[in-house]
Amino acid sequence: MVEELENDLLREQAESYSEDDIKTLQGLEHIRQRPGMYIGRLGDGSHQDDGIYVLFKEVLDNAIDEYVMGYGRRIDVAIEENTFTIRDYGRGIPPGKLVDCVSNINTGGKFNSDKYQFTVGMNGVGTKAVNALSSRFVAESIRSGKGKRATFKYGKLQSVEDFDTEERNGTRISFTPDPEKFVNYKIKIEFVERRLWMYAYLNSGLSLYLNNQRYYSKNGLQDLLSNEIEAEAELYSTIHYKDERIEFAFCHAAESGEKYFSFVNGQYTSDGGTHLSAFKGGLLRAVNEHFSSEFDARDLRDGIIGAVAVKVKEPVFESQTKNKLGNTDVKSWIENTVKTAVIDYLLKNPPEAEKLLEKVKRNEDLRKAFNKIKSNTKEMTKSLSLRNSKLKDCKHHFGDRSKFADETMIFLVEGDSAGGSLVQSRDPEYQAVFSLRGKPLNCYGKQLIDVYDNKEFFYITKTLNIDEDLENLRYAKVIIASDADVDGLHIRNLLITFFLSYFESLVMSGHLYILETPLFRVRNKKVTHYCYSEEERDAMAAKLGKGAEITRFKGLGEISADEFKQFIGEDIRLEKVTIENSKGIPEMLKFYMGDNTPERWEHIVENLV
């Protein structure tokens, strides 16, 4: 009887599923309904990866493509009252196709490889996504004294008009991000400026203007490195090379670690890929051949800062975020080009070559001493599996070709109590938990060779798999989860100091995060709300009225597993640790993490709340 009822229910449900349930989204509706599929996070403009800057980038990329193809040497950008305007002086979108190019999916000139040989755009989607997610979008094409203007609202065409003009040829796009999609957004000009500088470095000779301020680079990637490190920190003059398909620059500094900026067709590949690996390989081959040596790659790379930009006709990326190039066909020509160019430089500049050799030899001596310490840590290595009972790993890892690869994360959590709650509430497919044992060492001013003897940092580097090469990183997101009290903030600063001191590239490539957890729980008999600030708490308490119960979470350990599940799921709040450039890092660490000084004491007194 029960089985018959179940079958009848299933039959009714099947019959009720009709043609009326099939939806066809017209025009740009799909982008508006599923914006995350096209631009990633939405955000409010407080983070450099928020959606409004992705929209800006998509329009700017089209203008850059015109310059790359040899049309126009200037791009004007204006920002006024939450409206972006980008004007290039290229060929101008063909007027008859203007509306189609900005509103019809998979319509555009970038499918024609003869017209656009090197691009990483959204394959005909980019400008359409901007249009769909803007409350107002205006596209203008100017050609030979004639102009065409198309105006849209929320992706829907409002008007098309022709006009006469004396302006130079080109395209102008103006858009206002939709406040319904990007709630309470504010444009941070510093994020826009940094992107403009990157484009200037990658396109030497191009003038970009933001509200009449010029962003221009004469020497390309060489200027990028000069902006990242102090001139006196360079051990020798930056080695720079450029041809039609590749540009690279590198030098060594006295600091430990290695750092790279890599690009494909103007796209920043924060996780490198085959082009970066080929650059490293070509550099090693050049140094070993020139000096008739067999240096270990690690001896060459420690202390290096480099940048490489390549142009690839059909780039293949290993993820939707385009952070890592996967093309294997680029390896040979990049390695050979780098090797030939570097050997040529070293032959022509013997004094600089000798300085490079001295740095590599010093690194070699340190590594050999380092290996002795490693051999003395056998007991630590043996106990690693025991210590890693504190590690609750996940099934997938960064670099895997799984759907979870880009979302894999590890929580470095303060204490066993909070760690236990996280373990119970996490998704074991892609979320790992590592419980810290007390406060980590303040490693500022110490050599990595000394820090390696510290068990906690030893276990962290082994768990993350970064002790040999950062490209082996096992998790896409390394998340510091500490209490929102003085001790928790101290632990957070100690961990950030560790990563900035020895694994700076992990931070610069955007893999280090802070977990934001609620400070308060406000509830009555019917509803429960979690608040992340005193302002949110007060507003919610006022909304719920006199019967509201307010709980202050003193630490992560006080949050139950059921509650934690809400904070590390789809609505997880992560604050990425970002550094504008490397130039100020040593001074910053010295000021905050070095010996107590009168200056720091004065700073603390002046900033007491």
Side-chain angles (χ1 to χ4, degrees):
M1 184 67 179
V2 174
E3 185 176 346
E4 290 179 4
L5 289 173
E6 289 180 347
N7 289 335
D8 289 342
L9 179 60
L10 290 173
R11 193 178 301 110
E12 289 177 10
Q13 290 175 342
E15 291 174 355
S16 67
Y17 179 54
S18 67
E19 287 83 356
D20 294 335
D21 295 303
I22 305 300
K23 303 296 182 183
T24 299
L25 297 178
Q26 301 297 323
L28 304 178
E29 290 179 29
H30 188 270
I31 298 177
R32 285 190 60 79
Q33 287 199 16
R34 299 287 186 271
M37 292 178 60
Y38 298 90
I39 66 168
R41 58 186 286 165
L42 293 175
D44 60 3
S46 61
H47 194 280
Q48 60 185 358
D49 293 331
D50 282 351
I52 60 172
Y53 307 115
V54 177
L55 301 185
F56 169 64
K57 174 187 179 300
E58 288 302 324
V59 178
L60 189 58
D61 279 349
N62 291 335
I64 296 292
D65 283 338
E66 286 295 295
Y67 170 76
V68 171
M69 293 299 294
Y71 301 95
R73 299 179 61 84
R74 171 177 177 146
I75 297 173
D76 291 327
V77 177
I79 299 175
E80 187 175 355
E81 295 182 356
N82 285 346
T83 295
F84 293 86
T85 300
I86 296 93
R87 168 69 155 100
D88 69 47
Y89 298 89
R91 293 164 288 184
I93 298 174
K97 290 290 185 179
L98 177 64
V99 173
D100 289 339
C101 281
V102 298
S103 63
N104 288 345
I105 297 293
N106 297 328
T107 299
K110 293 183 182 180
F111 297 104
N112 187 336
S113 60
D114 293 331
K115 300 299 181 183
Y116 289 96
Q117 297 184 50
F118 307 109
T119 181
V120 295
M122 288 188 179
N123 294 324
V125 178
T127 308
K128 290 80 167 175
V130 181
N131 187 355
L133 299 173
S134 296
S135 56
R136 187 171 187 271
F137 178 94
V138 180
E140 294 180 359
S141 175
I142 300 165
R143 280 190 165 189
S144 304
K146 300 291 183 181
K148 183 179 284 291
R149 179 184 299 115
T151 302
F152 297 78
K153 287 186 176 181
Y154 306 103
K156 295 182 178 181
L157 182 63
Q158 304 296 305
S159 64
V160 180
E161 54 186 310
D162 296 305
F163 58 92
D164 295 324
T165 180
E166 297 182 359
E167 286 191 70
R168 291 157 53 191
N169 287 0
T171 301
R172 179 187 291 111
I173 301 290
S174 295
F175 69 94
T176 306
D178 182 0
E180 294 181 5
K181 299 296 182 182
F182 309 96
V183 180
N184 297 323
Y185 73 88
K186 292 182 180 179
I187 300 171
K188 283 199 170 185
I189 203 72
E190 57 265 32
F191 294 156
V192 177
E193 290 177 334
R194 181 159 176 79
R195 190 173 295 280
L196 291 177
W197 272 123
M198 280 298 182
Y199 278 117
Y201 297 138
L202 289 167
N203 300 277
S204 56
L206 171 66
S207 292
L208 299 109
Y209 288 85
L210 172 60
N211 297 338
N212 296 317
Q213 180 178 341
R214 189 188 190 200
Y215 299 78
Y216 175 84
S217 170
K218 180 180 179 181
N219 302 307
L221 295 184
Q222 185 175 352
D223 289 340
L224 169 58
L225 295 196
S226 296
N227 186 58
E228 290 295 324
I229 58 175
E230 300 286 354
E232 56 269 22
E234 296 182 0
L235 299 181
Y236 53 85
S237 300
T238 297
I239 298 174
H240 181 224
Y241 173 84
K242 182 179 182 180
D243 64 24
E244 291 183 354
R245 294 188 66 189
I246 183 172
E247 179 181 5
F248 67 84
F250 71 92
C251 66
H252 277 88
E255 289 82 8
S256 299
E258 53 182 312
K259 181 171 61 177
Y260 303 95
F261 298 89
S262 64
F263 306 87
V264 176
N265 299 355
Q267 172 77 28
Y268 177 44
T269 47
S270 59
D271 294 315
T274 49
H275 60 315
L276 180 57
S277 297
F279 166 71
K280 294 178 182 179
L283 181 54
L284 180 63
R285 287 174 57 194
V287 170
N288 279 335
E289 183 172 319
H290 179 75
F291 295 112
S292 300
S293 301
E294 293 185 6
F295 290 119
D296 188 288
R298 290 166 293 179
D299 300 332
L300 172 62
R301 295 173 190 171
D302 194 31
I304 199 171
I305 175 170
V308 57
V310 298
K311 295 178 181 178
V312 181
K313 277 195 174 182
E314 295 182 1
V316 176
F317 296 95
E318 294 190 3
S319 66
Q320 287 294 322
T321 52
K322 298 179 181 177
N323 287 337
K324 191 172 186 179
L325 185 69
N327 297 63
T328 57
D329 56 324
V330 303
K331 185 175 184 295
S332 178
W333 70 263
I334 292 178
E335 272 202 15
N336 291 331
T337 302
V338 172
K339 174 191 166 188
T340 301
V342 172
I343 288 178
D344 182 65
Y345 179 89
L346 296 176
L347 286 171
K348 293 177 179 178
N349 299 272
E352 301 299 288
E354 189 61 29
K355 293 175 184 176
L356 188 154
L357 178 62
E358 289 175 3
K359 171 62 174 174
V360 176
K361 285 185 174 180
R362 282 200 302 273
N363 287 345
E364 185 178 46
D365 292 340
L366 279 172
R367 181 175 59 83
K368 289 178 178 178
F370 196 14
N371 285 338
K372 289 182 179 179
I373 289 182
K374 280 187 175 182
S375 65
N376 293 332
T377 59
K378 288 182 179 179
E379 290 303 316
M380 290 171 63
T381 305
K382 288 178 182 178
S383 66
L384 183 61
S385 59
L386 175 63
R387 176 66 179 97
N388 271 357
S389 62
K390 298 291 185 180
L391 169 67
K392 299 301 180 183
D393 210 352
C394 52
K395 295 180 181 178
H396 301 275
H397 295 99
F398 191 45
D400 293 347
R401 293 186 178 275
S402 73
K403 65 178 182 179
F404 297 108
D406 290 338
E407 294 303 317
T408 54
M409 59 186 72
I410 182 169
F411 296 96
L412 304 181
V413 61
E414 175 187 353
D416 292 339
S417 179
S421 293
L422 268 170
V423 168
Q424 293 180 56
S425 57
R426 68 178 179 136
D427 187 329
E429 292 287 337
Y430 65 96
Q431 292 179 323
V433 179
F434 184 96
S435 297
L436 298 168
R437 181 182 296 163
K439 283 190 179 180
L441 171 75
N442 181 1
C443 58
Y444 173 75
K446 294 180 172 59
Q447 296 292 325
L448 180 58
I449 198 170
D450 299 319
V451 174
Y452 200 87
D453 199 37
N454 178 268
K455 288 186 178 182
E456 201 69 14
F457 287 140
F458 173 84
Y459 294 130
I460 289 174
T461 55
K462 285 292 185 181
T463 298
L464 299 183
N465 199 32
I466 56 177
D467 55 327
E468 296 292 342
D469 195 324
L470 279 169
E471 290 193 14
N472 298 325
L473 179 65
R474 299 183 76 229
Y475 310 93
K477 298 180 176 70
V478 180
I479 303 170
I480 300 173
S482 61
D483 292 343
D485 57 13
V486 174
D487 286 337
L489 293 175
H490 191 204
I491 289 174
R492 179 188 301 180
N493 289 338
L494 291 169
L495 287 171
I496 292 175
T497 299
F498 168 68
F499 287 119
L500 282 178
S501 296
Y502 312 111
F503 303 102
E504 186 181 308
S505 289
L506 182 138
V507 182
M508 299 297 286
S509 57
H511 290 292
L512 187 62
Y513 293 81
I514 304 296
L515 175 66
E516 294 186 35
T517 51
L519 297 175
F520 304 96
R521 179 177 59 212
V522 183
R523 64 184 177 184
N524 58 23
K525 293 181 179 180
K526 295 182 178 180
V527 296
T528 299
H529 290 276
Y530 297 94
C531 304
Y532 290 78
S533 67
E534 292 180 353
E535 290 77 13
E536 285 186 41
R537 175 202 63 190
D538 294 342
M540 187 52 60
K543 183 177 180 180
L544 296 183
K546 292 182 179 180
E549 173 192 310
I550 300 175
T551 301
R552 169 69 159 95
F553 294 120
K554 296 180 180 179
L556 301 182
E558 294 183 348
I559 302 177
S560 69
D562 288 339
E563 288 177 309
F564 238 132
K565 189 173 294 186
Q566 303 174 59
F567 314 135
I568 62 172
E570 291 184 2
D571 297 326
I572 188 172
R573 294 195 188 188
L574 295 176
E575 181 181 352
K576 184 182 289 187
V577 179
T578 56
I579 302 292
E580 287 300 314
N581 59 56
S582 300
K583 192 172 283 186
I585 290 177
E587 292 78 10
M588 177 187 69
L589 292 178
K590 181 180 180 181
F591 182 82
Y592 288 105
M593 305 305 293
D595 295 334
N596 288 314
T597 62
E599 292 79 14
R600 186 163 73 187
W601 175 255
E602 183 178 338
H603 174 79
I604 293 172
V605 171
E606 290 179 354
N607 290 275
L608 284 174
V609 178

